[in-house]
Amino acid sequence: MTKANTLTLKPLGINTYKEAVVYMRKDCPVCRSEGFEAPARVKVIHKNKIILATLNTIESDLLTPHEASLSTFAWEQLSASIGDEIQVFHPDHLNSLDHIRGKIYGHELNKDEIREIIKDVVNGSLSDIHISAFLASTGDDRFSEQEIFYLTESMIEVGNRISWHKDLIVDKHCIGGLPGNRTTLIVVPIVAAFGLTIPKTSSRAITSPAGTADTMEVFAPVSLDLNAMRKVIEKENGCLVWGGSVNLSPADDILIRIERALILDSMGQLVASILSKKIAAGSSHVIIDVPIGPTVKVRTTASADELKNYLEAIGKTLGIEVKTVFTDGSQPVGRGIGPALEAKDVLAVLQGDINAPQSLRERSIALAGQVLEFSPNVRKGTGYAVAEKILSSGQAWQKFQAICHAQGGLFEPPIAKHMRTITSKKKGTILAIDNRYLSRVAKLAGAPQAKAAGIKLLTPIGTKVNFGDPLFEIHAETKGELHYAVNFLSMDHEIFDIGEFE
Amino acid sequence: MTKANTLTLKPLGINTYKEAVVYMRKDCPVCRSEGFEAPARVKVIHKNKIILATLNTIESDLLTPHEASLSTFAWEQLSASIGDEIQVFHPDHLNSLDHIRGKIYGHELNKDEIREIIKDVVNGSLSDIHISAFLASTGDDRFSEQEIFYLTESMIEVGNRISWHKDLIVDKHCIGGLPGNRTTLIVVPIVAAFGLTIPKTSSRAITSPAGTADTMEVFAPVSLDLNAMRKVIEKENGCLVWGGSVNLSPADDILIRIERALILDSMGQLVASILSKKIAAGSSHVIIDVPIGPTVKVRTTASADELKNYLEAIGKTLGIEVKTVFTDGSQPVGRGIGPALEAKDVLAVLQGDINAPQSLRERSIALAGQVLEFSPNVRKGTGYAVAEKILSSGQAWQKFQAICHAQGGLFEPPIAKHMRTITSKKKGTILAIDNRYLSRVAKLAGAPQAKAAGIKLLTPIGTKVNFGDPLFEIHAETKGELHYAVNFLSMDHEIFDIGEFE
């Protein structure tokens, strides 16, 4: 006898990112008998696994009435194969949704409630709609310090967690938003060369022309699993891997995606996001770089102070030492925008090139110095000098090469096939740069997918230019992408504010 | 020269309900040049129309790299045809999303801000994720009376609005949740027979075994457009049509769907939902039936009072008279559950059948009496008697038939091919009935799609039963559906609480 509500799986290859979707004919026996219509939430059973999914109905011959399909995410969650049978039913009651409603109505959530929400975020029981309501309900600082603490704990519980057989595991993290701020690729080798353990994981670009993981990938593979990452650390004290491949905070990956759709930065979520990843990576001492400026994430010292207090207090409760460092976030760091162009800035700093961007070098040494002061062997106030020496002596460059080799590298940064120099149409001093538009041009040129593509900025703020002087270069791997970026420039956008000085 | 970012439309027939989705190959030139990945929001341009849509990427040969597809909703919004070209770009900045974020952060929204949000809800610029955050941000009574007023106004603005050349246009509405409560089909003919104008629109079932529109459809067509509805009213004073086909509050249709996914009933949204539809229908005087009981929408007299205050005050500001009537919501009304079975209860009441369910008859007369008292010709306190006379004299039954004919009816309620009587396994008195499970069985039997399917309840609360006495009948149109419903009963669910009386 066949089981109830059974359909046969056919692949359609539809990627919805992390939303589980099941595709079924509107006139299939299951939709008809259960009264299912899009966008119902349904329970999908496959062998011994159960997920909740959103129903999209098919009104064409993509499927027969006895077939169903799944989005890529749902397909992976169920480890399904072509021709397998699934059963589809009405979903059970979701306790976590009760808790979210409770939060909407202003209740304080306890540990078990937050844990149940995070568990259901990760296993897909809560849809994007539910998660969005949860995040909105915690906005305006409606999450207490206690709740942020539970949130962080719960996010750690649902992911992998690394333990090291050492007491001092350091890390650094930057509250994003500042273009070209690739200090991580310089801080990690300095710290590792000194002898401290720094298991650094980074993200890829989401909306920017390059993330730290994208830039590192110019030099070496970054998609290492936990075991491979552990081996690199054991050999070289440090690593530079993509966080997505080690699954340290799967809840965070999902919550961040919804926050991005809402363009919402809730303080509680930001704190839990950072701390959960650091603690999951086994860190004991962490430096957090908080750039403050008009176009970055943290815009006022008041909100920087609030963030600092939460990070340090909740870090302490969770057993790690967090030190927050405020830095200048008023303009981009270095010259390159795009993976390979940023990689060249990093290379210049590591190799001691006299033309290396000083802003990148200075910031990296300062942050590395702060990290080094976690060591009992570095006196307070001397970290900067120790870091500077490791960098200028070439030890950091040696260590960087060793880390790349351990990760499966070291590659030469690629050079773009096509290049166009953009010149100034007037004489004057560069007063301001619209980083968002500059980033946009870099993306249109192909970054970060095309590693060599992007922008090389030639005139930072304060530069005096004459008519016809080069302002920046556009690099692209294909002629079409170069055209695309140049065409965008010809539209009505001023990237540079050039003052009319005599 | 071809336009930038152009793809050719191919139909796939994927229905996501009201979420605009664009399907594109992950490796198509547009995704590659713009860096688009699922689930990005993108701007889709087709001829002179622009919509925002969510990107789902295709990793199979459903599409070529130069093709794209759209969900049914997006396809309709753009009035697109097979082979048409679309252009896909990054979306512009959404002001309405700023307003939603403002509400999350606790700001009071002004008229223009709420108007912009509702406009973008209806045109699809705001995704389900955004709308969910908006609804969550207004929960816990965070919407002021002024904001609810603006919300109602904005919802009226974006839909159709009917005007009548009369001063007194009446209506009635029930705050759902009570099974079998089909008073509307009796109130409308009584009121219309008296001579008042009552342009009644109703909803179809969403999660229940029948909505008022589904039950009315047993007798006559209900999917009338505005013009057809107007003609029925002009001829017969009253109508009973499906609200979905006259597009009176398109914003409400979308908001309700997200509220349902969250199982959230925000007071502000409920008030705006009801009033916007009534005002759009041109009503001047409205009776609102608020059943109060443990398993219906309004559970306490305190929240009923709050709802009453909002409805009456905001209704007054918008120029209509609203009268709220509290009724008993402790148990189902009538015997039938499912379109045809409920229709038979209605028929029995209208035809004066001595076995007609008295609860349905009484409630209908009481509500009709309240509506009639809006007339200057009906003295306060005499409405009930007037309504009772119109019903018992057969005038209401005549008017009902006339309305059905005007709408394109009158049909005979169908009778199910398959029936099973469920009997009691013990002796005692019916103390309580689990309406949710009874509704579930009716749906498994095929209601509301299968019009004749459902439940006929034989033993209301208080009935004394012996072992083997019939409790209810299951009606189904197919053997499979009957089996399906009966199998569900054999599981571990007690629908009746039968007390052990001697």
Side-chain angles (χ1 to χ4, degrees):
Chain A
M1 192 190 126
T2 58
K3 283 184 269 178
N5 289 21
T6 297
L7 295 167
T8 303
L9 282 179
K10 177 186 171 183
L12 290 177
I14 302 176
N15 188 337
T16 59
Y17 190 60
K18 299 223 172 169
E19 171 104 24
V21 176
V22 58
Y23 302 90
M24 290 155 57
R25 279 275 286 248
K26 200 177 179 174
D27 56 354
C28 78
V30 181
C31 283
R32 289 180 57 225
S33 66
E34 295 283 354
F36 288 148
E37 291 184 19
R41 289 290 285 179
V42 297
K43 179 166 76 175
V44 181
I45 303 177
H46 173 263
K47 293 174 181 168
N48 56 348
K49 288 187 179 170
I50 299 177
I51 59 167
L52 292 192
T54 299
L55 173 66
N56 283 189
T57 50
I58 299 291
E59 296 158 350
S60 69
D61 54 6
L62 284 189
L63 299 174
T64 70
H66 294 282
E67 287 175 333
S69 191
L70 300 167
S71 62
T72 312
F73 178 68
W75 203 282
E76 283 165 5
Q77 276 196 311
L78 290 173
S79 315
S81 303
I82 302 174
D84 281 358
E85 291 193 334
I86 58 168
Q87 292 177 278
V88 184
F89 294 100
H90 283 278
D92 304 321
H93 182 80
L94 260 190
N95 289 327
S96 54
L97 188 51
D98 295 340
H99 308 328
I100 291 175
R101 256 195 319 279
K103 191 70 211 164
I104 291 172
Y105 286 108
H107 305 317
E108 171 128 8
L109 297 179
N110 66 33
K111 183 171 177 165
D112 289 340
E113 289 166 341
I114 291 180
R115 182 184 276 159
E116 199 155 13
I117 291 171
I118 294 301
K119 178 177 70 67
D120 284 352
V121 164
V122 171
N123 68 25
S125 296
L126 289 168
S127 73
D128 289 355
I129 288 174
H130 301 143
I131 297 170
S132 175
F134 173 61
L135 291 170
S137 74
T138 66
D140 192 24
D141 299 341
R142 289 207 193 89
F143 241 33
S144 69
E145 188 176 316
Q146 189 65 48
E147 286 175 305
I148 300 174
F149 168 68
Y150 292 144
L151 181 65
T152 311
E153 263 196 334
S154 302
M155 285 167 65
I156 296 166
E157 279 175 15
V158 294
N160 285 323
R161 188 168 180 176
I162 317 177
S163 59
W164 306 96
H165 304 292
K166 287 181 184 174
D167 290 338
L168 182 64
I169 306 292
V170 299
D171 209 339
K172 65 86 57 177
H173 180 87
C174 178
I175 311 286
L178 195 57
N181 197 14
R182 294 288 157 253
T183 56
T184 298
L185 275 73
I186 299 159
V187 171
V188 168
I190 292 175
V191 170
F194 178 84
L196 294 183
T197 302
I198 181 162
K200 180 72 185 123
T201 63
S202 306
S203 54
R204 289 187 187 280
I206 309 290
T207 58
S208 71
T212 293
D214 298 308
T215 302
M216 180 62 188
E217 205 171 27
V218 169
F219 296 112
V222 295
S223 297
L224 278 64
D225 64 19
L226 262 187
N227 261 337
M229 173 173 159
R230 186 181 282 282
K231 277 181 194 148
V232 174
I233 294 285
E234 280 166 2
K235 191 153 179 278
E236 303 296 345
N237 296 331
C239 69
L240 284 148
V241 309
W242 174 45
S245 58
V246 288
N247 205 34
L248 289 178
S249 192
D252 190 51
D253 295 346
I254 297 171
L255 295 175
I256 276 184
R257 181 175 49 100
I258 306 291
E259 286 219 317
R260 192 171 302 128
L262 297 171
I263 321 179
L264 188 74
D265 272 317
S266 104
M267 182 71 80
Q269 180 51 36
L270 181 61
V271 170
S273 167
I274 295 167
L275 293 181
S276 67
K277 283 183 174 165
K278 298 302 151 200
I279 292 168
S283 304
S284 63
H285 294 70
V286 182
I287 292 291
I288 314 265
D289 175 9
V290 182
I292 306 172
T295 62
V296 295
K297 209 174 253 183
V298 178
R299 301 183 184 186
T300 64
T301 47
S303 57
D305 281 335
E306 195 189 8
L307 183 61
K308 176 187 168 79
N309 290 342
Y310 274 127
L311 283 168
E312 296 184 357
I314 295 173
K316 194 172 176 186
T317 316
L318 286 162
I320 67 167
E321 189 174 330
V322 177
K323 190 170 172 192
T324 311
V325 180
F326 297 158
T327 58
D328 173 24
S330 65
Q331 67 168 325
V333 180
R335 298 184 192 115
I337 301 177
L341 292 161
E342 294 176 16
K344 280 178 199 159
D345 284 350
V346 167
L347 216 50
V349 171
L350 286 170
Q351 294 178 335
D353 187 330
I354 197 153
N355 293 317
Q358 286 308 303
S359 58
L360 179 62
R361 185 173 191 274
E362 279 305 309
R363 293 176 84 99
S364 301
I365 295 171
L367 286 168
Q370 295 277 353
V371 176
L372 292 181
E373 289 184 12
F374 283 137
S375 163
N377 304 324
V378 177
R379 266 185 299 118
K380 299 292 159 215
T382 65
Y384 184 94
V386 177
E388 203 283 333
K389 198 174 158 198
I390 294 172
L391 180 63
S392 56
S393 69
Q395 283 172 274
W397 170 226
Q398 291 300 324
K399 178 55 79 178
F400 183 76
Q401 294 173 81
I403 290 172
C404 286
H405 283 300
Q407 290 190 192
L410 163 90
F411 318 138
E412 192 73 30
I415 293 167
K417 284 207 188 70
H418 304 273
M419 204 261 276
R420 177 79 60 92
T421 303
I422 306 299
T423 56
S424 181
K425 290 174 200 150
K426 58 199 263 194
K427 179 185 171 177
T429 303
I430 307 288
L431 297 179
I433 300 172
D434 188 329
N435 297 312
R436 282 190 315 133
Y437 273 111
L438 214 49
S439 293
R440 186 84 195 275
V441 176
K443 286 196 289 176
L444 290 175
Q449 285 86 350
K451 292 279 181 205
I455 296 283
K456 186 172 178 183
L457 177 64
L458 305 172
T459 52
I461 291 174
T463 311
K464 294 196 163 143
V465 293
N466 278 308
F467 179 89
D469 277 0
L471 295 171
F472 62 94
E473 302 166 1
I474 305 177
H475 293 232
E477 293 189 1
T478 68
K479 244 184 174 168
E481 284 168 321
L482 183 64
H483 257 102
Y484 203 61
V486 172
N487 278 345
F488 177 75
L489 280 183
S490 65
M491 291 162 70
D492 203 18
H493 295 304
E494 291 296 342
I495 293 180
F496 292 85
D497 180 3
I498 301 179
E500 298 279 1
F501 285 17
E502 84 291 357
Chain B
M1 193 188 126
T2 58
K3 282 183 269 179
N5 289 22
T6 298
L7 296 167
T8 304
L9 281 179
K10 177 186 172 184
L12 291 176
I14 302 176
N15 188 335
T16 58
Y17 191 60
K18 299 222 171 169
E19 172 106 23
V21 176
V22 58
Y23 302 89
M24 290 153 60
R25 278 274 287 248
K26 198 176 179 173
D27 55 356
C28 77
V30 182
C31 283
R32 288 178 56 225
S33 65
E34 296 283 354
F36 289 149
E37 290 184 21
R41 290 290 282 179
V42 296
K43 178 165 76 173
V44 180
I45 303 178
H46 172 264
K47 294 174 181 167
N48 56 349
K49 288 187 178 170
I50 299 178
I51 60 166
L52 292 191
T54 299
L55 172 66
N56 282 191
T57 50
I58 299 292
E59 297 157 350
S60 68
D61 55 6
L62 283 190
L63 299 175
T64 69
H66 295 281
E67 288 176 331
S69 191
L70 300 167
S71 62
T72 312
F73 178 68
W75 203 283
E76 284 164 6
Q77 275 196 310
L78 290 175
S79 313
S81 302
I82 302 174
D84 281 358
E85 290 193 336
I86 57 167
Q87 292 177 279
V88 184
F89 294 100
H90 282 278
D92 305 319
H93 183 80
L94 260 191
N95 289 327
S96 54
L97 188 52
D98 295 340
H99 309 328
I100 292 175
R101 255 195 319 279
K103 192 68 212 165
I104 291 172
Y105 285 108
H107 305 318
E108 171 127 9
L109 297 180
N110 67 32
K111 184 172 175 165
D112 289 339
E113 289 166 341
I114 291 179
R115 183 184 274 158
E116 199 155 15
I117 290 171
I118 293 303
K119 179 177 69 64
D120 284 351
V121 164
V122 171
N123 69 25
S125 297
L126 290 168
S127 73
D128 289 357
I129 287 174
H130 300 144
I131 297 169
S132 176
F134 173 61
L135 291 170
S137 74
T138 66
D140 192 25
D141 299 342
R142 290 207 192 90
F143 240 35
S144 68
E145 189 176 314
Q146 189 64 47
E147 287 174 306
I148 299 174
F149 168 68
Y150 292 144
L151 181 66
T152 311
E153 262 197 334
S154 304
M155 284 167 66
I156 295 166
E157 279 175 15
V158 293
N160 285 322
R161 187 167 180 176
I162 318 178
S163 59
W164 307 95
H165 304 291
K166 287 181 185 176
D167 290 337
L168 183 64
I169 305 292
V170 299
D171 209 339
K172 64 85 60 177
H173 180 86
C174 178
I175 311 286
L178 195 57
N181 197 15
R182 295 288 157 252
T183 56
T184 298
L185 276 74
I186 299 158
V187 171
V188 168
I190 292 174
V191 171
F194 178 83
L196 295 183
T197 303
I198 181 163
K200 180 74 185 118
T201 62
S202 306
S203 55
R204 289 187 187 280
I206 309 289
T207 56
S208 72
T212 293
D214 298 308
T215 303
M216 180 62 188
E217 204 170 30
V218 168
F219 296 112
V222 295
S223 297
L224 277 64
D225 64 20
L226 263 186
N227 262 337
M229 174 174 158
R230 186 180 282 280
K231 279 181 193 148
V232 175
I233 294 284
E234 279 164 3
K235 191 153 182 276
E236 302 296 347
N237 297 329
C239 69
L240 284 147
V241 310
W242 174 45
S245 59
V246 288
N247 203 33
L248 289 178
S249 191
D252 189 50
D253 294 347
I254 297 171
L255 295 175
I256 276 184
R257 180 176 49 99
I258 305 290
E259 286 219 316
R260 192 172 301 128
L262 297 171
I263 321 178
L264 188 74
D265 273 317
S266 102
M267 181 72 77
Q269 179 51 35
L270 181 61
V271 170
S273 168
I274 295 166
L275 292 181
S276 67
K277 283 182 174 166
K278 297 303 150 199
I279 291 168
S283 304
S284 63
H285 294 71
V286 182
I287 292 290
I288 313 264
D289 175 9
V290 181
I292 305 172
T295 63
V296 296
K297 209 175 252 183
V298 178
R299 300 184 185 187
T300 65
T301 49
S303 56
D305 281 335
E306 195 187 8
L307 182 61
K308 176 188 169 77
N309 290 341
Y310 274 127
L311 284 168
E312 297 184 356
I314 295 173
K316 195 171 174 186
T317 315
L318 286 162
I320 66 167
E321 189 174 331
V322 177
K323 189 169 172 192
T324 311
V325 180
F326 297 159
T327 59
D328 173 24
S330 65
Q331 67 168 325
V333 180
R335 298 184 193 116
I337 300 177
L341 292 161
E342 293 176 16
K344 281 178 198 160
D345 284 350
V346 168
L347 216 50
V349 171
L350 286 170
Q351 295 179 333
D353 187 329
I354 197 153
N355 293 316
Q358 286 308 302
S359 57
L360 179 63
R361 186 174 190 274
E362 280 304 311
R363 294 177 82 99
S364 303
I365 295 171
L367 286 168
Q370 295 278 353
V371 176
L372 292 180
E373 290 184 11
F374 283 137
S375 164
N377 305 322
V378 177
R379 266 186 299 119
K380 298 293 160 217
T382 66
Y384 184 95
V386 177
E388 203 281 335
K389 200 174 158 198
I390 295 171
L391 180 62
S392 56
S393 69
Q395 285 171 272
W397 169 226
Q398 292 300 324
K399 178 54 80 178
F400 183 77
Q401 295 173 81
I403 291 172
C404 287
H405 283 300
Q407 291 190 190
L410 161 91
F411 318 137
E412 193 74 30
I415 293 166
K417 285 206 187 70
H418 304 273
M419 204 261 275
R420 176 80 60 91
T421 303
I422 306 299
T423 56
S424 181
K425 290 175 199 150
K426 58 201 263 194
K427 180 185 171 177
T429 302
I430 307 289
L431 297 179
I433 300 171
D434 188 329
N435 297 311
R436 283 191 312 135
Y437 273 111
L438 215 50
S439 293
R440 185 87 194 271
V441 175
K443 287 196 290 175
L444 290 175
Q449 284 86 349
K451 293 277 181 207
I455 296 283
K456 186 171 177 183
L457 178 63
L458 305 171
T459 53
I461 292 174
T463 310
K464 293 197 165 144
V465 294
N466 278 308
F467 179 89
D469 277 359
L471 295 170
F472 63 94
E473 303 165 0
I474 304 176
H475 294 232
E477 293 190 2
T478 68
K479 246 184 174 169
E481 285 168 319
L482 183 65
H483 258 102
Y484 203 60
V486 172
N487 279 345
F488 177 75
L489 280 182
S490 65
M491 290 161 70
D492 202 18
H493 297 302
E494 290 295 343
I495 293 180
F496 292 85
D497 179 5
I498 302 178
E500 297 280 3
F501 285 14
E502 86 288 358

